[in-house]
Amino acid sequence: LRRRNTLGRKAFILARCGLYNLGNTCFLNSALQALAATPLLTRYFLYDLHLRELNPDNPLGASGKLALHYGHLLRLLRRGSGLRDTRERERSTRAASPAQAAGGGTRGPVAPARVRGVMAAKYPQFASYQQQDAQEFLSLLMDGLHEDLNRVKEKPYIPITDSEGRPDVVVAAEHIHGYVARNRSVIIDLFCGVT
């Protein structure tokens, strides 16, 4: 299946190959493929913007390894397709064999072993090759990517105050301000709606 989401003049082409199942890890594959199908986040990684924002010293992160390995995995999934002008893509598929035009050609699935390894080191529940909850994995993957890419190098202490009868809107704005003071990354920008 190929689906295009046009952003500007470029076409975003979803991955041309799938992921190997590492034991009973279809939960991992479905979460990775769902996240990889997010055009703005995937472009961020494919254009190597994550390299500028790595935060390897963040004790809550994975020393930048999760972001690096996730970026590498996206490159492997996109190998041979990449982000190209739509007209160039159409010319190259007309010249390709039917198997290559259908997606992937002779390239096979990719093993997400490095991403799995970093996640297993950080979150021991994923160390075995047993079935896990895909939503839990996705949530922790996104949190791990956020911490590896958090632009806040030194998180300030933000006291949480009671509402003390103040309007909800004021208290909510206070909490959002405190959250953003400690958490700024591409994950927050794209998925949290608080920046």
Side-chain angles (χ1 to χ4, degrees), residues 41-135:
L41 182 64
T42 297
R43 281 179 183 247
Y44 171 87
F45 278 96
L46 292 178
Y47 291 145
D48 290 333
L49 299 176
H50 65 291
L51 299 177
R52 298 178 191 166
E53 297 187 333
L54 277 179
N55 188 350
D57 299 324
N58 184 349
L60 300 176
S63 303
K65 293 177 188 172
L66 184 57
L68 289 172
H69 292 315
Y70 181 74
H72 179 71
L73 178 66
L74 289 176
R75 288 221 176 276
L76 292 175
L77 288 172
R78 303 287 188 282
R79 66 185 168 186
S81 66
L83 298 173
R84 294 186 276 176
D85 184 275
T86 305
R87 290 174 302 228
E88 179 188 339
R89 168 84 177 103
E90 289 170 358
R91 281 193 302 271
S92 67
T93 55
R94 272 186 250 130
S97 72
Q100 290 169 329
T106 59
R107 295 186 174 107
V110 175
R114 290 180 179 174
V115 171
R116 187 206 157 273
V118 174
M119 288 294 289
K122 182 101 176 116
Y123 308 104
Q125 66 265 40
F126 301 117
S128 73
Y129 289 91
Q130 300 300 312
Q131 182 65 34
Q132 300 289 333
D133 183 69
Q135 190 279 330

Side-chain angles (χ1 to χ4, degrees), residues 88-178:
E88 179 188 339
R89 168 84 177 103
E90 289 170 358
R91 281 193 302 271
S92 67
T93 55
R94 272 186 250 130
S97 72
Q100 290 169 329
T106 59
R107 295 186 174 107
V110 175
R114 290 180 179 174
V115 171
R116 187 206 157 273
V118 174
M119 288 294 289
K122 182 101 176 116
Y123 308 104
Q125 66 265 40
F126 301 117
S128 73
Y129 289 91
Q130 300 300 312
Q131 182 65 34
Q132 300 289 333
D133 183 69
Q135 190 279 330
E136 180 183 7
F137 179 83
L138 179 60
S139 176
L140 292 172
L141 171 65
M142 291 175 71
D143 185 60
L145 289 171
H146 158 67
E147 293 298 351
D148 272 4
L149 299 167
N150 196 346
R151 297 177 198 116
V152 178
K153 304 300 182 192
E154 292 184 31
K155 294 185 177 193
Y157 172 73
I158 307 290
I160 298 174
T161 58
D162 290 332
S163 65
E164 301 168 350
R166 294 178 296 152
D168 289 346
V169 124
V170 172
V171 176
E174 222 173 67
H175 283 274
I176 289 170
H177 176 74

